[in-house]
């Protein structure tokens, strides 16, 4: 299968703009997808963000496996990172983020107060790969739908400052990937969860990757979603895809069934799922 890559010119530009703005912000909100907390972290960003205080925000927790989300939070916290899990789509407000930000920046806030600044303000920059919900999170924090959001990667094209209140300014940025996925599994995971433009990858390969995963990790949910019997569940993923295709009325056309499976997985029709656990990254990926 061809390796998936997606690093168009606008992302290189967006990366440079993040670098330029970093000096102006107090902290960074790194938004990741709770279904793929590690695969959806941009390794390029670690170098750029450096020692700047950072909150890891595992978003879309409503779509992720709650047990695995708990494992990930424990893992990041054990490493000394600030990490929280949220569902920005359905949350009315996200008080945890400003509270944590103020806690982390308490020393700076106190210093400003001692200089006579009555309402010391913080500036935070929101970064992450495409479609993880950066703009949605910021809209919840400002309690208005100012940033444009959309269910496809690459919606935000330019940086934009948003004002949460007199003491918190937030910078929205375009989603950024990196030039090469070292592990091709990362490309498959990000394609399945919607961070990569659909035109960039082959649906049959990514669909088969998804089907293989659900068959192994969440067989009951898969069985229920497509009314499969035990015999069908025991087929190889490729044979099972043909069965699905027939059930969906697509005949032998593998591609359309794969496309549907990707769509269903993203919508949550196959239940909440998480594609990786912390142990996967101790040695090499699974
Ligand atoms: N289920 C669920 N959907 C979410 C959540 N947060 C965001 N979304 C949806 O995810 C899609 C992408 O959200 P955006 O806020 O546009 O994502 P973004 O990271 O700003 O994307 P780019 O600007 O393209 O980089 C939208 O359809 C949102 O409604 C969440 O917590 N749960
Ligand atoms: Mg956006």
């Amino acid at each position: 299968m061809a390796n998936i890559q997606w690093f168009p010119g606008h992302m290189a530009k967006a990366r440079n703009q993040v670098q330029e703005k970093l000096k102006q912000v107090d902290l960074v909100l790194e938004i990741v997808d709770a279904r793929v907390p590690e695969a959806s972290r941009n390794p390029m960003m670690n170098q750029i963000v450096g020692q700047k205080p950072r909150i890891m925000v595992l978003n879309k927790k409503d779509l992720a496996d709650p047990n695995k989300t708990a494992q990930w939070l424990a893992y990041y916290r054990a490493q000394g990172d600030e990490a929280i899990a949220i569902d920005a789509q359905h949350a009315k407000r996200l008080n945890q983020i400003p509270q944590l930000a103020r806690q982390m920046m308490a020393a700076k806030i106190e210093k400003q107060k001692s200089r006579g600044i009555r309402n010391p303000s913080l500036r935070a920059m929101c970064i992450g790969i495409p479609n993880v919900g950066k703009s949605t999170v910021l809209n919840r924090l400002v309690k208005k739908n100012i940033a444009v959001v959309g269910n496809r990667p690459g919606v935000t094209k330019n940086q934009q400052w948003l004002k949460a209140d007199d003491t918190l300014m937030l910078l929205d940025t375009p989603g950024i990937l990196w030039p090469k996925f070292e592990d091709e599994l990362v490309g498959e995971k990000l394609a399945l969860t919607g961070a990569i433009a659909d035109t960039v990858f082959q649906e049959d390969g990514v669909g088969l990757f998804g089907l293989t995963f659900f068959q192994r990790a969440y067989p009951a949910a898969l069985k229920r979603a497509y009314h499969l019997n035990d015999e069908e569940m025991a087929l190889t993923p490729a044979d099972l895809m043909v069965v699905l295709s027939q059930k969906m009325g697509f005949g032998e056309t593998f591609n359309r069934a794969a496309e549907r499976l990707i769509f269903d997985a993203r919508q949550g029709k196959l239940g909440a799922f998480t594609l990786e656990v912390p142990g996967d990254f101790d040695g090499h990926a699974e």
Side-chain angles (χ1 to χ4, degrees):
M1 188 191 316
N3 279 6
I4 299 166
Q5 299 299 340
W6 193 38
F7 192 63
H10 79 261
M11 287 190 198
K13 186 173 153 214
R15 175 196 56 192
N16 295 342
Q17 288 173 338
V18 163
Q19 202 153 16
E20 283 163 20
K21 284 284 163 44
L22 202 70
K23 289 186 289 295
Q24 298 178 21
V25 304
D26 301 296
L27 79 162
V28 169
L29 305 179
E30 181 174 359
I31 317 288
V32 298
D33 185 324
R35 294 167 298 176
V36 276
E38 203 57 31
S40 63
R41 288 190 88 175
N42 185 338
M44 227 163 53
M45 283 300 149
N46 274 337
Q47 292 154 9
I48 294 174
V49 172
Q51 296 306 309
K52 197 63 86 172
R54 173 181 356 198
I55 303 176
M56 293 258 322
V57 180
L58 280 64
N59 189 37
K60 305 199 179 186
K61 80 165 182 187
D62 55 311
L63 298 176
D65 182 328
N67 292 325
K68 292 180 183 166
T69 299
Q71 285 180 43
W72 278 110
L73 288 175
Y75 170 82
Y76 288 124
R77 287 170 184 160
Q79 292 190 333
D81 292 324
E82 297 289 352
I84 55 173
I86 59 166
D87 165 6
Q89 172 97 319
H90 305 100
K92 289 216 173 54
R93 59 173 81 91
L94 297 170
N95 288 337
Q96 299 172 70
I97 294 178
Q99 274 166 12
L100 186 55
R102 292 199 177 99
Q103 219 173 298
M104 287 165 71
M105 302 309 297
K108 181 183 167 168
I109 292 172
E110 280 314 309
K111 201 164 151 194
Q112 290 195 340
K113 277 188 180 160
S114 70
R115 285 189 191 149
I117 299 168
R118 233 186 270 152
N119 275 329
S121 70
L122 291 179
R123 287 165 183 258
M125 172 158 62
C126 193
I127 60 167
I129 68 167
N131 207 32
V132 289
K134 298 177 294 301
S135 301
T136 305
V137 170
L138 296 190
N139 281 340
R140 291 296 172 273
L141 292 173
V142 303
K143 302 186 189 78
K144 278 187 214 121
N145 291 331
I146 295 179
V148 182
V149 304
N151 197 10
R152 64 197 152 78
V155 169
T156 303
K157 304 280 185 224
N158 297 298
Q159 293 187 342
Q160 182 183 16
W161 280 106
L162 304 171
K163 188 175 176 173
D165 56 41
D166 284 340
T167 62
L168 183 61
M169 289 293 291
L170 301 154
L171 184 65
D172 192 14
T173 67
I176 309 171
L177 288 162
W178 56 103
K180 186 172 174 11
F181 301 133
E182 287 306 325
D183 180 351
E184 68 182 80
L185 205 53
V186 169
E188 313 248 26
K189 288 174 178 176
L190 297 186
L192 183 63
T193 50
I196 294 176
D198 288 342
T199 48
V200 175
F201 62 87
Q202 305 282 326
E203 263 128 3
D204 50 358
V206 172
L208 199 58
F209 162 76
L211 185 59
T212 308
F213 168 76
F214 280 102
Q215 213 180 354
R216 179 173 52 78
Y218 299 98
L222 182 69
K223 197 174 169 188
R224 201 168 344 133
Y226 297 121
H227 311 289
L228 297 166
N229 60 35
D230 289 336
E231 216 173 302
E232 289 164 336
M233 285 297 292
L235 294 170
T236 64
D239 287 342
L240 182 55
M241 190 65 96
V242 174
V243 168
L244 281 183
S245 184
Q246 283 159 344
K247 277 183 183 262
M248 290 170 180
F250 298 143
E252 305 272 321
T253 344
F254 207 88
N255 211 47
R256 290 187 66 191
E259 195 181 324
R260 172 70 69 80
L261 182 115
I262 295 169
F263 180 79
D264 288 345
R266 288 179 185 169
Q267 298 288 104
K269 195 188 160 191
L270 306 183
F273 69 92
T274 298
L275 289 168
E276 54 196 25
V277 289
D280 295 345
F281 295 87
D282 288 349
H284 23 236
E286 53 179 323

